[in-house]
């Protein structure tokens, strides 16, 4: 009887112990995922903004070739010359001038650039209301890359759906009008131009400055035949005093951070970890 009483008491003690600590046992601490509480300040804004660059590297890595090639892929100016390209591969299809909306390269251009846009939207939507100057710089970076991404899509596809992260996507999103497209890109560029710094430290290589935005805007206005505004922004880059032509043309491609570099997309200097063929920005 005494032994049974001890067993019952121990059983109740164990049961009570498990009941008391069950909540803490089941609440697993997350060490490899970002919780919302970690995104509420400058470190959170930095975290999400840094995430943009994972996708930005697309413009100069593997699929980044697509941007340089697509503009001439459907003309007789392009030919895939490295051999071993059959008619059904991406290079082969370009050689035969029949690339369409179902082509893997077309789909990659579309999907990867919208990934950049989605990450930019996170930063813009979460932090635009902040009055902290550092956070506003992160928001400006996101505006630049979103504008840059839509600029690229517009040049390649014409008008596309303008996704800002606040739409009801249950029934899809219609393409923007031409005026809406140009106004949106222009607004993103101007939001970045008004906030981003003139220069960056060496540790911030690859991040846009005011003059990176000005150069992108000059090209945007040039492509849209607004000659006077294109000249205005191009001249501002020339006159800002931060850039100059290299005496040796080949040095442009062999010297990092040379005087002609307005914006570089950083990649790791190892085989298969960066694009060795095409300069894109």
């Amino acid at each position: 009887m005494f032994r049974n009483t001890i067993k019952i008491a121990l059983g109740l003690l164990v049961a009570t112990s498990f009941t008391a600590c069950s909540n803490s046992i089941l609440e697993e601490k997350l060490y490899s995922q970002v919780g919302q509480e970690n995104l509420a300040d400058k470190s959170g804004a930095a975290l999400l903004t840094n995430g943009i660059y994972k996708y930005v590297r697309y413009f100069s890595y593997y699929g980044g070739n697509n941007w340089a090639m697509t503009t001439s892929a459907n003309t007789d100016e392009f030919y895939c010359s490295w051999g071993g390209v059959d008619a059904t591969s991406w290079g082969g299809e370009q050689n035969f001038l029949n690339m369409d909306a179902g082509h893997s390269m077309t789909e990659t251009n579309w999907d990867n650039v919208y990934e950049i846009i989605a990450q930019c939207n996170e930063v813009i939507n979460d932090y635009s209301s902040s009055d902290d100057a550092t956070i506003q710089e992160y928001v400006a970076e996101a505006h630049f890359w979103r504008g840059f991404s839509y600029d690229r899509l517009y040049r390649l596809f014409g008008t596309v759906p303008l996704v800002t992260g606040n739409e009801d996507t249950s029934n899809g999103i219609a393409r923007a009008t031409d005026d809406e497209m140009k106004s949106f890109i222009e607004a993103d560029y101007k939001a970045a131009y008004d906030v981003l710094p003139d220069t960056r430290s060496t540790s911030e290589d690859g991040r846009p400055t005011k003059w990176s935005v000005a150069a992108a805007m000059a090209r945007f206005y040039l492509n849209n035949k607004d000659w006077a505004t294109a000249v205005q922004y191009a001249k501002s880059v020339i006159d800002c005093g931060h850039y100059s032509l290299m005496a040796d043309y080949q040095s442009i491609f062999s010297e990092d951070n040379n005087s002609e570099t307005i914006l570089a997309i950083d990649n790791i200097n190892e085989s298969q970890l960066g694009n060795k063929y095409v300069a894109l920005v």
Side-chain angles (χ1 to χ4, degrees):
M1 179 70 177
F2 180 69
R3 188 175 298 173
N4 289 339
T5 302
I6 292 175
K7 287 181 178 178
I8 292 171
L10 288 174
L12 289 172
L13 178 61
V14 171
T16 302
S17 299
F18 276 113
T19 302
C21 66
S22 61
N23 289 336
S24 61
I25 289 175
L26 296 176
E27 289 176 1
E28 182 180 356
K29 293 182 179 180
L30 299 178
Y31 298 99
S32 60
Q33 293 179 307
V34 179
Q36 193 61 39
E37 67 277 5
N38 297 325
L39 302 177
D41 55 15
K42 282 188 279 193
S43 61
L47 192 67
L48 285 182
T49 305
N50 290 343
I52 294 171
Y53 292 89
K54 167 189 173 182
Y55 301 108
V56 163
R57 285 192 174 99
Y58 164 76
F59 283 128
S60 64
Y61 176 50
Y62 284 133
N65 282 312
N66 302 350
W67 290 104
M69 294 178 178
T70 300
T71 52
S72 57
N74 290 317
T75 74
D76 56 7
E77 296 175 3
F78 177 87
Y79 188 81
C80 182
S81 61
W82 57 79
V85 179
D86 59 71
T88 59
S89 70
W90 69 268
E93 289 185 14
Q94 289 177 72
N95 286 345
F96 290 96
L97 310 181
N98 64 350
M99 189 173 69
D100 58 21
H103 192 286
S104 62
M105 194 172 90
T106 308
E107 292 178 353
T108 299
N109 280 335
W110 182 278
D111 293 345
N112 285 64
V113 178
Y114 269 108
E115 287 178 344
I116 300 172
I117 290 166
Q119 187 73 16
C120 292
N121 286 339
E122 287 284 337
V123 177
I124 294 167
N125 293 335
D126 287 356
Y127 301 105
S128 287
S129 61
S130 172
D131 57 5
D132 182 275
T134 301
I135 290 179
Q136 282 307 306
E137 225 174 82
Y138 292 134
V139 173
E141 277 186 66
H143 274 296
F144 169 74
W145 287 116
R146 188 174 70 175
F148 185 90
S149 298
Y150 276 123
D151 196 357
R152 288 293 180 98
L153 287 172
Y154 181 52
R155 284 162 55 197
L156 186 58
F157 296 106
T159 59
V160 299
L162 289 171
V163 180
T164 64
N166 298 308
E167 298 83 6
D168 178 4
T169 60
S170 56
N171 295 315
I173 303 175
R175 287 176 180 264
T177 65
D178 195 68
D179 285 343
E180 287 170 342
M181 196 82 208
K182 288 187 283 191
S183 295
F184 190 93
I185 295 167
E186 183 180 46
D188 262 347
Y189 278 153
K190 286 184 175 178
Y193 181 82
D194 291 339
V195 176
L196 289 177
D198 282 16
T199 60
R200 295 279 191 177
S201 66
T202 304
S203 64
E204 295 178 307
D205 286 345
R207 305 189 92 112
T209 65
K210 180 187 189 77
W211 308 115
S212 307
V213 186
M217 292 175 81
R219 183 171 58 187
F220 168 73
Y221 289 117
L222 185 68
N223 287 333
N224 287 289
K225 301 180 181 180
D226 184 346
W227 316 121
T229 311
V231 168
Q232 172 192 330
Y233 281 101
K235 190 173 186 304
S236 73
V237 177
I238 295 169
D239 294 343
C240 74
H242 297 300
Y243 311 102
S244 61
L245 297 178
M246 297 285 285
D248 177 14
Y249 177 75
Q250 291 185 346
S251 298
I252 299 171
F253 306 99
S254 60
E255 293 183 20
D256 290 341
N257 303 314
N258 63 68
S259 63
E260 288 197 33
T261 303
I262 298 174
L263 177 63
I265 296 175
D266 288 344
N267 283 283
I268 300 170
N269 186 21
E270 295 178 17
S271 177
Q272 301 304 316
L273 292 175
N275 188 304
K276 300 180 285 295
Y277 308 107
V278 183
L280 292 165
V281 181

